[in-house]
Amino acid sequence: MLDVDRLRSSLPQYGLGEPLHTYPTVGSTNDVAAELARQGAPHGALVTAEEQTAGRGRAGRFWSTPFGASLALSLLLRPGASSLESVGALGPLGALAVAEALEGLDLKAEIKWPNDVLLGGKKVAGVLAEATWDGDRLAYAILGIGVNVHAGVLEQADQFEFPATSVGAMTGARADRTQLLVEIVAGVGRWLPDLGTAKLRRAWEARLAYLGQQVLVDVGGSSSSGRLVGLERDGQLRLETAQGLERIPTGALRLRPVDTASE
């Protein structure tokens, strides 16, 4: 289990991770964090759980979190941003924080646009950012992050909509979940001042999975295929298609390299 005493002594990082709320089992850490936000919890509050029974990813997909096998964490953020474009970069920011933490374990992490993290072409982490607005003012945002750490999570691989892996499966060793969580929180804190900037976009693009490859993107029932050539300033995906350059907005979508698009 997570070493709560070590967590408390290692947090906050860059103003994030305090107060710390830990649970053995919850439905969704994002839902718990949102309730804390409605009760007035401060910027930086962190929710972690050993198990989620109703974890979710983007587009309402299920996120499996078996007891003690994964990281499930949600950060309450009150960044003071009112720009929808900037808040839309919270998910990629979280993916970047995870990727950097994994790079600290000598793993080559890639970000599957917009905010999944891959190791060896398989999904190891997902990010779900949810914002609540008061008119045109951001009331708060919840940044939820799930990471497959130990191999036990792969026993439920038939529930995944994309080929999955775990940190342990890639390193061949049992990862320190407590330290990994601290590193992820620190990464979010380091990047938060750069939310929505070109600096963050360049770091995201440098780790972009399938860059230069042919991909298929499904958006709202329609499909586009082309060569993935990078990101727009606002984070939209740039595809080079037979008809010319196409920009793909973030949203409910499915992205695959063409050679696995039928899986």
Side-chain angles (χ1 to χ4, degrees), residues 187-198:
V188 173
R190 280 195 306 271
W191 280 107
L192 198 57
D194 297 307
L195 184 65
T197 67

Side-chain angles (χ1 to χ4, degrees), residues 7-8 10-22 32-34 36-37 40-48 73-80 90 138-143 181-182 184-186 188-190 192:
L7 274 181
R8 294 192 188 281
S10 301
L11 299 171
Q13 293 280 337
Y14 296 88
L16 302 182
E18 193 176 57
L20 172 65
H21 303 267
T22 63
V32 174
L36 291 170
H43 171 80
L46 172 63
V47 176
T48 71
L73 63 132
S74 295
L75 282 161
L76 166 58
L77 304 175
R78 301 185 188 271
L90 275 173
L138 178 67
Y140 60 86
I142 306 298
L143 183 61
L181 190 153
V182 171
I184 291 170
V185 171
V188 173
R190 280 195 306 271
L192 198 57

Side-chain angles (χ1 to χ4, degrees), residues 210 213-217 224-228 239 255-258:
Y210 316 130
Q213 298 180 34
Q214 293 291 318
V215 298
L216 180 69
V217 183
S224 295
S225 63
R227 188 170 67 91
L228 196 163
L239 286 187
L255 182 149
R256 292 287 189 282
V258 166

Side-chain angles (χ1 to χ4, degrees), residues 26-79:
V26 298
S28 160
T29 57
N30 265 31
D31 289 347
V32 174
E35 179 58 30
L36 291 170
R38 289 189 289 269
Q39 295 172 9
H43 171 80
L46 172 63
V47 176
T48 71
E50 293 290 342
E51 177 187 38
Q52 289 186 120
T53 59
R56 61 185 185 276
R58 296 177 67 251
R61 298 186 182 104
F62 176 71
W63 181 265
S64 176
T65 312
F67 193 95
S70 305
L71 283 180
L73 63 132
S74 295
L75 282 161
L76 166 58
L77 304 175
R78 301 185 188 271

